[in-house]
Amino acid sequence: MSDESIQETQFSRGLEGIIAAETKIGYVDGLNGKLVYRGYDINVLAEQSNYEEVSYLLLKGHLPSKDEYDQYVAGLKKSMDLEKDEYDLISQVSKTSHPMSTLRTMVSYIGGKDSGSVEPDLEKQEDISVNLIAKLPTIVAAINRATQGREFVKPDPDLSYSSNFFYMSTGRKPDTVEARMLDTALMLHADHGMNASTFAAMLTISTLSDMYSAVTSAVSTLKGPLHGGANERALALIRKVGTPENADKVIGDMIEKKEKIMGFGHRVYKVYDPRAKILKEYAKYVAEKNNKPELFHTAEKIEEVMINKLGSKGIFPNVDFYSGMIYYSMGFEPEIFTPIFAVGRISGWVSRALEYLSDNRLFRPKARYIGESELRKYTPINER
Ligand code: ACO
C-alpha cells in the first residue's frame, strides 16, 4: 500500500473516531451515556467521593488508603498558596485580559520560574502535576477577585479543595449544599476522554516538553466556545430567551439560521450527557432556593424544544448547559465559568499527559494534500 493510499483510507476530519492512544484512566460510552473514571461509575463518585479523592484516583490509578489520602491532601495544602509576584502578575494581567488568558499566562509564568521543569522524567512531572492541581483553584480564585477589583483572599488550610476555592473566590465560606454542588461539579469535569484540551496536553508532553507547557496548551484549548467556553454562552442564551414562552420562537429561529445552540450536542455523547443529568438536579435546587425558578423553567423549556427538534440527530444537553446556571447562582460571573471548568479538568489533563509520557510516542498526524498537483513557476515579487 502506498503512502498516499494509507492517507486516503485513514482520513478523518478532526481525527474523529481515530484511536491514537491507549488509556486506563477512563472512558466515555457515548451511546449509553456512561462516564467511568478508573473503573468507577461517575454517578457513584459524584454521590460518594470528593474532588481530592477523585484527583488522586485519576493520577495514581487506585482509591487512596486513609494514609495515602492524608498525605496527598497535606501535599496539596502545602503547595496551594501563590507567591507575591504571582498575585501581582494576576492583578496586572487581569486589567486587560479575559480570565482564561490570565490563567494561561499564570500557568506559563509559574512554569518559567521552575527551573527543573524541563526534565522529562516521570517523577518530576508528577510533582509538577500535584503542584498544578494544588495551585489552579488559587490562581482562578485570585483572577476572579482581581477581575472584580477586590482584595485577594488567601487559602484556608482547614477547608476542603472546593470549599477553599469558593472561599478564595467569594470571601465567604460556602454552606453545606454549595460546598457539595461545587465539589460535584469539579468531580464531573475532572476527566473526559481524549477531548480537545486533554489531547493538547498529551500532544505537548509527547514532544518531551514539561507539564507546565502541557497545561498551558490545555488551558489555551479549553478557552474556545466549542469546548470549555460553551457554558458562559449557554447561560447567556438562557437569559436572552428569558421566559419559557419565548423558547420555541428564539430557538426555532436560531436552528433555522443554522446557529449552534451552546450547551447542546457532543462529539461523543449521542444521548443525554450523564453529567448534565446530575447538574440539572442541582440547577433546579438552586433556582428554587434562590426564589428564581424562571431561569430553570426557561432552561428546561429550551431543552424540550431542542430535544423535539434535534434529539433525533443525537443532540441533547451537555455538561455546559446547566453548569453555568449553578455557578451563576453561587455568585460567580459568567467570564469565570470556563476557568472553573479548568479547576476541575486539571486532574484529567495531568493524569492523561503522565500516562502518555510513561509510554511516549510523538504525535504526528498527516494532512491530506488537496493543493496544486503541478509544481508552480516562482515569479519574483516585482514581476507579479
Ligand atoms: N445546536 C444546533 N445544532 C447542532 C448543535 C447545536 N448545539 N450541535 C450539533 N448540531 C447539528 C449539527 O450542525 C449537525 O447538523 P447537520 O446534520 O444539519 O449537519 C447535527 O446537529 C449533528 O451534529 P454532530 O455531528 O453530532 O455534532 P459535532 O460532533 O460536529 O459537534 C459539538 C459537536 C462541536 C460539541 C457541537 O454539538 C456544538 O458546537 N455544540 C455547541 C457547543 C457546545 O456546547 N460545546 C460544549 C461541548 S461539551 C464540552 O466541551 C465540555
Side-chain angles (χ1 to χ4, degrees):
M1 195 182 271
S2 75
D3 196 40
E4 266 65 32
S5 61
I6 290 171
Q7 285 184 37
E8 203 60 48
T9 54
Q10 295 187 341
F11 176 60
S12 169
R13 271 183 84 213
L15 298 178
E16 188 170 355
I18 299 290
I19 295 173
E22 290 183 313
T23 183
K24 291 181 179 168
I25 291 178
Y27 74 90
V28 186
D29 178 348
L31 294 180
N32 294 302
K34 273 201 175 320
L35 173 60
V36 171
Y37 295 170
R38 299 276 189 190
Y40 295 92
D41 190 305
I42 191 64
N43 289 290
V44 176
L45 293 171
E47 209 177 300
Q48 300 188 33
S49 189
N50 61 33
Y51 188 79
E52 290 87 328
E53 188 174 75
V54 162
S55 70
Y56 183 99
L57 173 69
L58 291 170
L59 203 56
K60 309 272 191 182
H62 62 274
L63 286 173
S65 66
K66 177 81 177 71
D67 279 355
E68 286 171 329
Y69 180 83
D70 289 346
Q71 212 181 327
Y72 178 66
V73 170
L76 291 178
K77 290 190 173 178
K78 203 170 133 227
S79 306
M80 66 188 166
D81 205 358
L82 304 177
E83 317 240 343
K84 184 177 177 309
D85 59 316
E86 293 160 358
Y87 281 114
D88 288 348
L89 187 59
I90 290 174
S91 298
Q92 194 190 328
V93 179
S94 291
K95 284 183 195 146
T96 49
S97 298
H98 184 280
M100 279 303 277
S101 303
T102 312
L103 177 59
R104 181 184 58 204
T105 299
M106 290 314 299
V107 174
S108 177
Y109 178 71
I110 289 172
K113 287 168 64 184
D114 184 350
S115 58
S117 65
V118 287
E119 293 161 26
D121 74 277
L122 276 172
E123 213 175 305
K124 173 69 192 163
Q125 299 309 320
E126 188 173 324
D127 289 348
I128 297 173
S129 301
V130 175
N131 186 32
L132 283 168
I133 294 172
K135 284 198 168 57
L136 231 67
T138 319
I139 299 172
V140 171
I143 293 171
N144 191 43
R145 303 290 292 178
T147 308
Q148 297 172 354
R150 295 159 87 180
E151 293 281 298
F152 295 124
V153 177
K154 290 267 188 183
D156 177 344
D158 292 334
L159 293 175
S160 72
Y161 188 87
S162 45
S163 293
N164 220 336
F165 173 52
F166 185 94
Y167 171 63
M168 292 184 286
S169 302
T170 64
R172 77 173 171 88
K173 293 181 183 164
D175 65 31
T176 319
V177 178
E178 284 170 329
R180 189 63 202 158
M181 275 195 307
L182 189 54
D183 205 43
T184 305
L186 295 186
M187 283 190 271
L188 294 178
H189 284 87
D191 185 62
H192 207 247
M194 219 164 127
N195 57 81
S197 57
T198 301
F199 179 41
M202 292 165 66
L203 175 62
T204 302
I205 210 87
S206 85
T207 68
L208 299 186
S209 182
D210 61 277
M211 195 59 81
Y212 294 110
S213 305
V215 172
T216 305
S217 298
V219 171
S220 312
T221 309
L222 186 69
K223 186 169 179 266
L226 294 188
H227 192 10
N231 53 13
E232 204 175 319
R233 296 181 185 214
L235 179 70
L237 175 71
I238 300 167
R239 291 166 81 187
K240 180 180 136 192
V241 172
T243 66
E245 294 71 42
N246 294 339
D248 225 356
K249 165 113 185 71
V250 178
I251 301 300
D253 287 353
M254 288 177 78
I255 292 175
E256 200 132 296
K257 284 191 227 147
K258 296 241 166 249
E259 284 177 39
K260 285 267 159 60
I261 314 298
M262 294 293 140
F264 285 86
H266 200 276
R267 188 44 66 82
V268 184
Y269 292 122
K270 298 304 166 198
V271 293
Y272 211 108
D273 182 334
R275 303 167 299 174
K277 240 182 226 164
I278 299 170
L279 292 179
K280 183 177 177 182
E281 287 305 309
Y282 279 123
K284 184 168 184 232
Y285 170 85
V286 290
E288 280 165 7
K289 182 177 171 240
N290 295 345
N291 236 359
K292 283 189 183 142
E294 193 79 342
L295 197 63
F296 179 76
H297 292 317
T298 306
E300 217 179 16
K301 185 68 190 174
I302 295 173
E303 176 187 323
E304 188 191 307
V305 173
M306 280 298 282
I307 293 177
N308 277 339
K309 291 190 188 292
L310 295 176
S312 58
K313 286 187 176 181
I315 307 299
F316 292 89
N318 60 48
V319 69
D320 285 328
F321 190 57
Y322 288 107
S323 63
M325 268 182 69
I326 292 172
Y327 302 146
Y328 189 65
S329 74
M330 288 180 183
F332 289 104
E333 289 301 320
E335 61 186 4
I336 211 76
F337 294 173
T338 312
I340 300 176
F341 187 153
V343 172
R345 186 55 57 84
I346 180 66
S347 316
W349 287 336
V350 295
S351 301
R352 294 213 178 228
L354 281 173
E355 182 188 54
Y356 195 77
L357 185 62
S358 70
D359 184 21
N360 191 51
R361 180 154 179 86
L362 179 69
F363 279 106
R364 179 60 172 88
K366 288 180 176 176
R368 186 166 70 189
Y369 181 67
I370 55 166
E372 296 287 337
S373 53
E374 301 294 326
L375 286 179
R376 299 159 93 182
K377 186 174 170 296
Y378 179 82
T379 317
I381 193 161
N382 52 2
E383 292 171 26
R384 272 176 237 159

